[in-house]
Structures are given as C-alpha cells and as structure tokens.
Amino acid sequence: MLVGRCLALNRTGRLAFEAARRWNSSNKKGTGDLESELQKDLKKINELLKTNLSEAEKAPKEKQPETDPNFMNFRKAAEREAHQRGGRIFNWKTVAVTFAIGGSCLAALFYIRKIRLDEREKHRKITAGKARIGGEWELVNTQGKLEGSEQLRGNWLLMYFGFTNCPDICPDEIEKMIKVIDLLDADKNENIPVVPVFISVDPARDTVARVKEYCSEFSPKLKGFTGSVDQVNKVAKTFRVYHSQGPKTENNPDDYIVDHTVIMYLIDPEGNFHDYYGQNRKAEEIANIIKMKVLKFEAQNRKRIAQYFLN
C-alpha cells in the first residue's frame, strides 16, 4: 500500500511540473488565459491524485515476514528445557518409589518407637515391683550375729517366711526349696549358686537355737534368721509378707498357729527382688525358671559392662 501511494504522488508531481513549465513559457499571455489553464491543470492533478490513491488502497497488501518466536529467546528455551528435564525426573514411577521408601522408613521408625516404649513400660513395671517388694533388711542369724541384705549381697537368694512350729505347710515348702537348690547345684553345665534362706515370723517362740536346730533338719545349706518382734515385723513389711498370730489355748499359751504368706522370693545379687513362686509351683519348674532368670541377668550385666567401656 505504501508503494502505491508513492507512485501516485510521483505521477502528480510530474503533472504539476509540466503545468509550471507551461506557465513559465506562456508568461507573456494574458492573465485570464493563464488562470484558465492553471485551473484546468489543477483539476486534472486532483482527479489523478484521487484515482491513484484509490488504486493503491485496493492493491493487495504485502505480507510481512513472520518473526520466529524462538529467535533470541534464550530464557524461554532454558525454561522449557528445565521443565522437560524435570518432567523426565519427577514422573509417576519416581513418586511411587519415593512414597514406598518413605512409608517403609516411617513404618520402621514407628516399630522402633513401639519397641522402646514397650521396653520402657516393662522396665517401669519391674521397677515398680522392686519398689513394692524387697529392700534392705537385717536380722539375727543362727550364730547369734546380725546379718542381712548387705552381707548377703552378691548371692542369689531364695527366701521363705515361716515358723518352726508349722505342722505341714512350712516343712513341705522348705523341702521343696531345698530340692530346687539341689537341682541347681546338680547342673554341671551351669554354675548357678543360690542360697536358701528361712526367716521366722514367730519371734516369740523361734529363738536362735530353735531356728538353728530346725534348719539343720532340712539341709546344712539352709540359712536361718530370727530376731525381735520389731525386727521381724520390719522385714515382713519390707517383703509385703502377711503374718498373724492365731488364738492361744488356755492350757498351753505357746500352742498356737501363725497364719502367713506362703511364697518363695528370688533376690538377685544386687539385693533386688527378682521373682516369686507360690505353692502351685513344683521344684523342677522353679529350678528351670531360676536358670533362665540367672542367665538373662548375667547377659544383661555383660552387655551393660560392654556398653560402659564402649562409651
């Protein structure tokens, strides 16, 4: 369109030049004739200008060359390449594998946390049990000397509370206790020394001499203890042992029965309560349980010592 307009103006210019030339060549003519010729030339110039402009507008427009959108567009190209690279890396397979690994790690963490919480709860219960049963104690032994938890520390103890005038239950339980000790001593594969202990809950009748004679009837391994009423009551309270003196007869005030708890207590070498066994347990069963308890205790001690030196 711009070229068409230039051509129209070129033609119009030539006409105007010719008109001026004729005016200069005929300047000697009259004024009326000159004006008439000029008007005619201007009219032709105007008509020619309109015609050329109209043709130029109707002419087909030249198509402008399209600009390449990627020309000098380095930033967009880099962004597009980064997007494609990210699409190759973060696809559905990658997301699935990431979630699978993350889920496995999370499950492992929850499992470890559960184990630790279970161990902590178990330790809390054991500690609570130790706090409720057992502790420091001191009585009079069969040599008439004070002896107790401090002197016996370092040994496994199997303790039974009873009285020497007991008609049947105490003898049966003490015999069972001695049988447990004999079974443990007979095991040549494992050296598990356990000291059997008898504590009287009848200090009024069970003197040192009487307890010594009573213990010798079962085994020389059995250690016997008695003491004053206050001493015995204190030890019985420490181990939560119930004992109560029954009614006395009129003819013989020393003839009475003592009601008491019938339980054996297992004490570890550190002086802590470890386990207990009632009348329903047989000697063989108690011996096997004590073996497992002792082996587990020793393994834990070795592990604790190793961790101490490693840290």
Side-chain angles (χ1 to χ4, degrees), residues 8-227:
L9 291 174
N10 190 18
R11 293 173 187 174
T12 307
R14 286 199 301 270
L15 291 174
F17 177 75
E18 291 177 0
R21 184 175 56 80
R22 285 196 302 271
W23 183 79
N24 289 328
S25 62
S26 59
N27 54 4
K28 295 181 179 180
K29 294 182 181 182
T31 304
D33 296 334
L34 182 59
E35 290 178 359
S36 176
E37 289 179 4
L38 288 173
Q39 289 179 358
K40 289 178 181 181
D41 290 336
L42 290 173
K43 185 177 181 181
K44 288 180 180 181
I45 290 170
N46 190 23
E47 290 177 358
L48 182 59
L49 184 61
K50 289 182 178 179
T51 302
N52 290 334
L53 289 175
S54 178
E55 291 176 359
E57 290 177 355
K58 292 179 180 179
K61 299 179 180 179
E62 295 180 2
K63 188 175 182 181
Q64 298 294 330
E66 295 181 357
T67 305
D68 185 3
N70 296 325
F71 179 69
M72 296 296 288
N73 199 353
F74 302 110
R75 182 179 178 183
K76 289 186 177 179
E79 290 178 354
R80 183 169 59 253
E81 184 179 354
H83 178 72
Q84 292 175 354
R85 186 168 60 252
R88 289 193 298 269
I89 296 174
F90 296 100
N91 50 26
W92 284 108
K93 291 183 179 179
T94 306
V95 173
V97 171
T98 302
F99 273 105
I101 295 174
S104 300
C105 293
L106 190 62
L109 289 174
F110 276 114
Y111 179 72
I112 294 172
R113 182 175 180 272
K114 183 179 182 300
I115 291 176
R116 289 181 176 177
L117 290 175
D118 291 343
E119 290 180 352
R120 188 179 302 174
E121 181 65 18
K122 184 178 179 180
H123 179 72
R124 186 191 66 81
K125 289 180 178 179
I126 292 174
T127 304
K130 290 179 181 178
R132 288 193 299 268
I133 300 176
E136 300 294 327
W137 59 275
E138 187 177 58
L139 289 170
V140 180
N141 61 21
T142 53
Q143 282 75 41
K145 297 179 180 180
L146 288 175
E147 188 179 12
S149 56
E150 183 177 354
Q151 289 75 25
L152 294 174
R153 187 169 284 112
N155 300 296
W156 286 90
L157 306 180
L158 192 58
M159 303 172 62
Y160 177 79
F161 292 80
F163 63 105
T164 61
N165 288 315
C166 182
D168 48 15
I169 295 178
C170 287
D172 291 342
E173 290 300 302
I174 294 174
E175 285 180 358
K176 183 168 67 175
M177 183 169 64
I178 298 302
K179 186 177 181 180
V180 170
I181 302 302
D182 291 339
L183 289 171
L184 293 174
D185 291 342
D187 190 351
K188 303 301 181 182
N189 296 324
E190 300 291 342
N191 183 20
I192 304 176
V194 180
V195 178
V197 174
F198 168 76
I199 296 177
S200 172
V201 292
D202 184 18
R205 290 181 298 181
D206 287 343
T207 62
V208 171
R210 174 63 186 146
V211 170
K212 183 178 182 180
E213 181 184 359
Y214 184 75
C215 290
S216 63
E217 293 175 1
F218 294 97
S219 171
K221 301 176 183 178
L222 183 60
K223 292 181 68 67
F225 292 89
T226 186

Side-chain angles (χ1 to χ4, degrees), residues 246-263:
K248 299 178 181 181
T249 61
E250 295 181 358
N251 297 331
N252 188 1
D254 290 336
D255 185 14
Y256 58 87
I257 299 296
V258 178
D259 188 17
H260 62 89
T261 302
V262 183
I263 287 179

